Structures are given as C-alpha cells and as structure tokens.
Amino acid sequence: MNERVQVGIIGLGTMGQGHIKTLLNDVPNCEVVAVCDTDEKRFKEAEGKGLLSEKMQRFSSYGKLIDSDLCKAVVVVTPHPFHPEISIYAFRKGLHVLSDKPIAITVSAADEMIREWKKTSLKFSTMYSMRTTSVNIAIKDFLLQGKLGDIRRVDMVCTKWLRTQRYYDEQTWRGTWKGEGAGLLLNQAPHNLDLLYWWFGPAEAVSAEVSKRFHNIETEDEVTANIRTRSGFPIRFYSTTGEAPGFDRVEIVGSKGTLIRDGRMAKVFTFLELEEEIEKTIYENENTMLDVAF
Ligand SMILES: NC(=O)c1ccc[n+]([C@@H]2O[C@H](COP(=O)([O-])OP(=O)(O)OC[C@H]3O[C@@H](n4cnc5c(N)ncnc54)[C@H](O)[C@@H]3O)[C@@H](O)[C@H]2O)c1
C-alpha cells in the first residue's frame, strides 16, 4: 500500500506521545497531521520532546479534530472512559479508529461501540501489543500445531507491572473508580488476559479475589484468579502493580510436554516417548529439554 494515512492523535499524554514516536519512526505509510488534548501543558511537553512539528494541527476538542477533515484515522489515547464516546463520534464521521486498551470501562459501553462500528466498513482495532511479540506469536503457533498435546493446566504470573505511588498521583484519574473504572484489571492486566484469550479461547467460569494492598488508591492493585476455559482446563492467574522485581511467566502443561516462558524466552520440555506411552512412562524416563529459538 503506497497511500499515506493521515492520522490524528487524541490524548497527548504518556501513551499518546508514545504512539506519535512509533508512527514517526516505524510506520512510513502514516503521517500524524493533527493532535488533540484538553490540557494545554501536554502540547508543550510533547513539543519539548521534539514530537510535534509545524505541520501538525493542534486541537483542544476531539470533535473539532474529527470534524476538521484532516484525518482518515484517529488513535484514541485518552483515559479509558472517553474511548467509546470519541470512537463512536469518529465512526459516525467516517474515520478509522485505533482505540487504546481497554476500549471501554463497561461491557455495555464496549457493546455500543462495536455496534456503531459494525454499521460502517471502517477499520477498528485496539492495542494488544503483546500479540505482536515474537515469543507470544511462536507460542500461539506451537499451540495451534498441537505440539504440547491436550492442555492440562496453565499458570500465569504477571508482576512486571510495577507502578509507584507517583504514577497514580501524577494523573488523578488513575486508580479511581470514576476515572478508570478499575485499576490493574482494566489498565495493565488486560494485556495478559488478552494473551490467555488469544492462546486458549474464552473462559467458561472465573472466580477471583481482588485487593488493594500496595498503593494509596481507590481501586485494586492485585488480582488472583482461577479461570476455567471452555476446553475444561484450569488457568491460575496472578498479577499486581506492587511487586519488584517483577516477572512475566507462563507455564503451559500439556499431555506431550510443558512450555515455560519467562519474559521473552521460552523453553519447551517434551517427553521422548510416543503420546500413548506418556502416561505410563512419565515418571520412569528422563525428559528432554528443547530450547526453542524465537
Ligand atoms: N497499549 C499500551 O501498552 C498502553 C500503555 C499505557 C497506556 N495505555 C492506555 O492509554 C490511555 C491513556 O493512558 P496514559 O497513561 O497515556 O494517560 P495520560 O493521563 O498520561 O494521558 C491521557 C491524556 O488524555 C488527555 N485527555 C483527557 N480527556 C480528554 C479528552 N476528552 N479529549 C482529549 N484529550 C483528553 C489528558 O489531558 C491527558 O493528557 C489509557 O486508556 C491507557 O489504558 C495503553
């Protein structure tokens, strides 16, 4: 595709600035032509980092940016409660939308957004960037090829999300029910939960305990969940923003072997025996360790 896509960024905070950097450096078919934020300071901040050029029109209201006809697509990077309202407005005006995660803070708002998008032939996506990490893609392929056999259980521990009190204090919407609808479970953990969904499909049942243990915030900063997949095997899930050093580990145990991923590295432990012999030989034979190159 040689055509360039004119993009507007709505929300010029931490992640909005990150999106500009990515679009400027890594996506040659896109050009950022407009930026919007309700806070004047954010323009100065982004300017100070060399992210804004003369060519980028600045707006203090998303409606004006969308109505300007400058953009074919918008990236919505405001706090989550605004994602549906802004995206729906963009769809109705014929703009493609990339809404950062989570797309909404309630299921009904997300449903409405999807309903509005389905009335169009526009592109709509959200940012689950962990799906683009090579190790996670390789695990997906590995699972699709059935190399671990039938999945017996999964254990995921995601504690690499350390957030300091300052992180919550510097943006008053963070860690509040009104401002973001939840804490860890809507802001950081969706990335990991999305991987579980992508790899193993929908959940049949979930029981979970959430708590606020590490920060002075309203919402949860820790979750322990037991997820039963539709295929019937259990997933144990733990995540927090209060632990350091953090880990990003997953253990996938199947009838033919076990895959362990630690950050960007994965190792697969398989058994030498044929599948039907595994049950009787599992404790008798030495297993083989394969390093999988990702
Ligand atoms: N994909 C990822 O890995 C990732 C990482 C971080 C954040 N995010 C998501 O990005 C979003 C923003 O997070 P952040 O950390 O950048 O927040 P932030 O507070 O740093 O930035 C949000 C910006 O939006 C502006 N804003 C608020 N309401 C607005 C409105 N109605 N119109 C225009 N601008 C408005 C604020 O003034 C602020 O500058 C969140 O939904 C978060 O979940 C995604």
Side-chain angles (χ1 to χ4, degrees):
M1 193 177 88
N2 292 322
E3 196 193 347
R4 295 192 92 191
V5 179
Q6 287 76 37
V7 177
I9 307 288
I10 302 176
L12 211 45
T14 314
M15 197 58 198
Q17 295 177 23
H19 281 297
I20 295 183
K21 235 182 267 171
T22 307
L23 290 172
L24 291 179
N25 297 329
D26 302 325
V27 191
N29 288 344
C30 281
E31 56 179 328
V32 180
V33 294
V35 291
C36 167
D37 204 292
T38 45
D39 182 351
E40 181 62 28
K41 287 197 299 291
R42 292 300 202 164
F43 294 103
K44 292 207 176 74
E45 196 182 294
E47 216 165 45
K49 294 180 186 168
L51 294 172
L52 301 189
S53 72
E54 291 288 308
K55 279 197 249 163
M56 297 177 194
Q57 292 268 347
R58 295 157 199 215
F59 295 88
S60 57
S61 117
Y62 72 80
K64 288 193 176 139
L65 180 148
I66 291 169
D67 289 341
S68 71
D69 279 341
L70 288 168
C71 310
K72 286 188 183 145
V74 285
V75 182
V76 182
V77 219
T78 61
H80 350 306
F82 302 106
H83 295 177
E85 160 191 327
I86 299 174
S87 303
I88 289 171
Y89 192 78
F91 293 143
R92 289 181 179 163
K93 298 286 175 162
L95 268 62
H96 306 287
V97 173
L98 174 65
S99 164
D100 217 311
K101 42 59 43 182
I103 60 170
I105 64 168
T106 62
V107 175
S108 57
D111 284 345
E112 193 192 345
M113 211 168 161
I114 293 166
R115 251 193 324 272
E116 286 295 324
W117 163 63
K118 283 190 170 166
K119 292 178 190 166
T120 74
S121 54
L122 297 161
K123 304 277 184 211
F124 172 36
S125 188
T126 187
M127 274 293 292
Y128 283 122
S129 45
M130 282 192 175
R131 290 194 189 200
T132 63
T133 310
S134 54
V135 67
N136 294 330
I137 294 169
I139 291 173
K140 171 82 176 168
D141 290 344
F142 207 75
L143 291 167
L144 281 175
Q145 289 162 27
K147 289 193 177 162
L148 293 178
D150 295 331
I151 304 303
R152 300 262 164 90
R153 69 171 178 86
V154 175
D155 219 86
M156 190 181 247
V157 175
C158 315
T159 55
K160 64 152 203 181
W161 296 121
L162 177 70
R163 294 291 183 268
T164 58
Q165 187 60 42
R166 195 173 130 202
Y167 164 84
Y168 294 103
D169 293 345
E170 70 187 3
Q171 296 300 330
T172 50
W173 62 274
R174 291 180 182 152
T176 64
W177 293 112
K178 191 163 180 280
E180 67 171 329
L184 167 74
L185 272 171
L186 270 190
N187 201 325
Q188 290 79 26
H191 283 294
N192 314 107
L193 295 171
D194 174 64
L195 271 190
L196 291 176
Y197 175 82
W198 189 48
W199 287 338
F200 306 114
E204 181 68 32
V206 179
S207 62
E209 191 180 308
V210 295
S211 43
K212 179 184 65 168
R213 287 215 298 149
F214 306 106
H215 302 94
N216 181 22
I217 53 175
E218 289 173 13
T219 60
E220 83 291 348
D221 57 10
E222 180 185 52
V223 60
T224 308
N226 283 309
I227 301 165
R228 168 102 16 212
T229 60
R230 288 199 186 153
S231 312
F233 60 85
I235 300 175
R236 279 194 315 180
F237 178 78
Y238 178 83
S239 190
T240 181
T241 52
E243 201 173 293
F247 295 95
D248 183 13
R249 283 176 58 85
V250 63
E251 196 174 294
I252 306 170
V253 180
S255 55
K256 292 185 185 172
T258 294
L259 185 150
I260 296 177
R261 192 210 64 189
D262 199 347
R264 286 172 183 260
M265 295 293 293
K267 282 184 174 169
V268 179
F269 300 82
T270 58
F271 296 96
L272 287 172
E273 296 71 32
L274 294 172
E275 195 177 348
E276 56 269 26
E277 290 176 359
I278 285 177
E279 293 298 332
K280 60 179 179 350
T281 58
I282 199 162
Y283 298 111
E284 295 161 15
N285 294 284
E286 221 179 324
N287 61 10
T288 313
M289 193 181 84
L290 298 178
D291 273 321
V292 180
F294 292 117

